[in-house]
Amino acid sequence: MASVRLLIGTKKGAFVVTSDGNRRDWQIEGPFFAGWEVYHLAGSPADPQRIYASQSHAWFGQVIQRSWDGGKSWETVDNTFVYEDPVGDHLWYDGTPRRWEFKRIWHFMPDTDDPDTVYAGGEDAALFLTCDGGKSWQEMSGLRRHSTSSQWAPGAGGMCLHTVLQDPKNKQRMYVAISAAGVFRSQDGGLTWHAANRGLVSDYLPDPRAEVGHCVHRLAMHPDRPEVLYMQKHWDVMRSDDGGSSWHEVSGNLPSDFGFPILVHPHDPRTVYVIPIQSDSLHFPVDGRLRVYRSRSGGDEWEPLGNGLPQKHCYVNVLREAMAADRLEPCGIYFGTTGGQLFASADEGESWLTIAQNLPAILSVEVQTLP
Amino acid sequence: MIKAGPEVVVPVPSPHTLGNLIDALEVHYPSLRHTLRDQEGNRRPYIRFYACRIDISFWSWESGLPESVVQGQEPLLVVGAVSGG
């Protein structure tokens, strides 16, 4: 029988959570790296026993961990992340120039074919690549060479590169998203990049339709339809049908179009999930009711899914990296909250159970579907 | 009670400076790289170095270590922040 392994990153360590394919009984292992922030863990699609973890701490910096046995044991690798010269400046919160400075890795994207190859998105925003299983990392500096990079500015969480996507049909085509710069697309495997923000409207910018400066919270792609991209922006849920060349809004009947994660159903490219949050200054579910919203039509028309989720007095947040889906049939949906709750649905979101309710604040949720 | 980490002994090449000692520590324990010093080589604010009952955190990396540390009679203490976590 197939099984499911969840990789949970939290403010105070990582947890590995497993179940068989029934997804009713769960075992929780951890915390690993207790006391440290774990922004993300990701398994290699080519070898699921290979897992990479980003462990960081405001006092001690970044530590990269890897496991070759599915998360049972871990080893440190290398922690050197160097920005290529000239390092240059970006904008700080107050609008003044500030030199790029490495803080942490937010996101891993292991290659689909080679378990030693991993892309990593960093703060301050940059894309790094390892081809030796994390022993060494090189910046793919073409991204920061973009003509607008001196205008990029941090979102509230820092100037993070939080999403890396690769077109499985054409691996030369890649996308990254930076908060708060926007989306960038490469057609040459990450050597050069172009802004891909046409159609985004951000009223907090002097020019709401500017080339860059948009606070994109998350992108999602289905491998069968890689030209279709979904976006949860600071405000607005957006879709592109042309590989990021243009975007249009699909917020439709959502009670709020502010939120962080966005997820595509693993078996249906037109089914999308978001978790509406009250507003940019009120990071909790609308009306204190925690509900996932699902669209079966690629957006615009959304239905609430709250069966089993707290429907009153719920004032947690769900962060951008904290929702994922398994590949079973029917698929399972998982998300974690800043209140330490981990929720699972084994029926595509129709009903939910609570796997854990007292973990540290959850930063990331990844799923591995194991044979 | 504060728990101290393990005491380790590492060979330090000459000259016996603070910087060479931390370099040697990182060679033997690569996972410490960039945790005591940031990506640009500066001491992280929440890390202190003590030796012979004095705070040598503000010494330059080129500073020579106290002779009793060089002789192995006194440890160099790497002290992390003792709050939070």
Side-chain angles (χ1 to χ4, degrees):
Chain A
M1 176 188 256
S3 63
V4 173
R5 181 162 60 209
L6 310 183
L7 307 173
I8 310 298
T10 81
K11 281 273 204 181
K12 298 292 179 187
F15 297 84
V16 177
V17 183
T18 53
S19 174
D20 62 23
N22 291 323
R23 295 164 288 180
R24 284 194 296 265
D25 300 313
W26 295 88
Q27 290 77 49
I28 301 176
E29 300 284 336
F32 301 95
F33 331 123
W36 289 62
E37 294 179 326
V38 180
Y39 270 60
H40 195 213
L41 304 96
S44 163
D47 177 1
Q49 296 299 92
R50 294 261 203 122
I51 300 173
Y52 295 87
S54 173
Q55 169 192 354
S56 68
H57 197 292
W59 300 335
F60 307 119
Q62 175 73 56
V63 173
I64 298 292
Q65 298 271 358
R66 73 179 184 188
S67 172
W68 285 9
D69 57 9
K72 293 184 177 67
S73 63
W74 296 88
E75 61 176 334
T76 54
V77 197
D78 193 2
N79 309 323
T80 304
F81 292 87
V82 176
Y83 294 113
E84 286 194 1
D85 282 328
V87 175
D89 293 332
H90 61 84
L91 292 182
W92 192 232
Y93 292 100
D94 61 3
T96 59
R98 192 163 184 108
R99 191 168 185 265
W100 243 271
E101 179 185 10
F102 180 81
K103 298 183 179 65
R104 60 176 60 82
I105 292 299
W106 277 64
H107 180 78
F108 292 118
M109 192 203 73
D111 186 77
T112 52
D113 300 313
D114 177 7
D116 282 333
T117 296
V118 184
Y119 297 89
E123 175 189 355
D124 291 334
L127 183 62
F128 295 92
L129 172 66
T130 180
C131 296
D132 56 15
K135 291 179 186 168
S136 63
W137 297 86
Q138 290 80 43
E139 185 191 6
M140 302 184 77
S141 60
L143 176 62
R144 281 191 318 110
R145 299 287 169 256
H146 192 269
S147 60
T148 62
S149 63
S150 63
Q151 302 169 43
W152 302 355
M159 196 172 79
C160 53
L161 193 163
H162 51 72
T163 302
V164 186
L165 296 175
Q166 191 171 39
D167 182 339
K169 296 178 180 175
N170 173 14
K171 292 174 77 170
Q172 294 296 298
R173 176 174 283 211
M174 300 177 67
Y175 304 87
V176 299
I178 296 168
S179 179
V183 180
F184 295 85
R185 180 177 67 192
S186 173
Q187 308 272 28
D188 55 12
L191 296 178
T192 59
W193 297 82
H194 300 275
N197 300 307
R198 187 178 302 156
L200 304 187
V201 181
S202 299
D203 289 335
Y204 53 80
L205 294 174
D207 174 5
R209 298 176 184 272
E211 181 183 18
V212 297
H214 303 278
C215 193
V216 175
H217 285 180
R218 191 70 171 168
L219 299 180
M221 169 202 287
H222 192 285
D224 292 347
R225 295 279 304 278
E227 73 282 6
V228 178
L229 299 172
Y230 295 96
M231 173 194 297
Q232 173 68 69
K233 196 164 71 65
H234 191 79
W235 291 101
D236 303 334
V237 178
M238 309 292 290
R239 192 176 87 212
S240 172
D241 295 325
D242 53 13
S245 294
S246 64
W247 296 89
H248 60 279
E249 187 174 359
V250 293
S251 306
N253 62 336
L254 288 171
S256 165
D257 58 23
F258 189 93
F260 290 96
I262 189 164
L263 178 71
V264 185
H265 190 294
H267 308 312
D268 178 8
R270 292 185 61 78
T271 295
V272 192
Y273 297 84
V274 295
I275 301 179
I277 293 298
Q278 183 90 35
S279 72
D280 47 6
S281 57
L282 300 174
H283 286 185
F284 49 72
V286 177
D287 299 328
R289 301 174 65 189
L290 183 54
R291 290 180 293 182
V292 176
Y293 275 70
R294 178 177 63 194
S295 171
R296 297 285 198 188
S297 55
D300 279 329
E301 297 171 358
W302 300 86
E303 57 178 329
L305 305 168
N307 181 15
L309 299 177
Q311 294 302 295
K312 61 181 179 180
H313 309 313
C314 183
Y315 292 92
V316 296
N317 193 6
V318 180
L319 299 177
R320 72 191 80 214
E321 193 84 80
M323 182 163 63
D326 69 34
R327 303 188 61 78
L328 298 179
E329 185 67 57
C331 80
I333 310 289
Y334 308 87
F335 71 93
T337 75
T338 56
Q341 303 147 313
L342 179 62
F343 295 110
S345 169
D347 53 11
E348 305 186 344
E350 295 294 331
S351 63
W352 299 88
L353 65 83
T354 305
I355 297 177
Q357 54 188 351
N358 294 305
L359 297 181
I362 293 174
L363 302 173
S364 63
V365 174
E366 286 287 349
V367 183
Q368 294 182 289
T369 308
L370 305 173
Chain B
M1 178 178 172
I2 298 171
K3 288 186 178 177
E7 184 169 315
V8 299
V9 177
V10 293
V12 180
S14 183
H16 299 133
T17 62
L18 177 60
N20 278 355
L21 186 149
I22 301 301
D23 286 347
L25 189 62
E26 291 178 350
V27 166
H28 285 78
Y29 300 93
S31 62
L32 291 177
R33 196 174 301 149
H34 304 303
T35 63
L36 310 180
R37 297 182 290 194
D38 65 19
Q39 301 277 336
E40 302 196 353
N42 303 308
R43 177 179 57 85
R44 290 188 178 276
Y46 288 91
I47 295 289
R48 291 295 176 91
F49 304 127
Y50 299 164
C52 307
R53 298 179 180 271
I54 58 174
D55 183 353
I56 64 170
S57 306
F58 295 91
W59 289 13
S60 72
W61 298 120
E62 294 75 29
S63 301
L65 292 164
E67 190 57 26
S68 56
V69 174
V70 174
Q71 296 300 325
Q73 296 161 353
E74 289 284 340
L76 181 134
L77 302 177
V78 179
V79 182
V82 291
S83 62

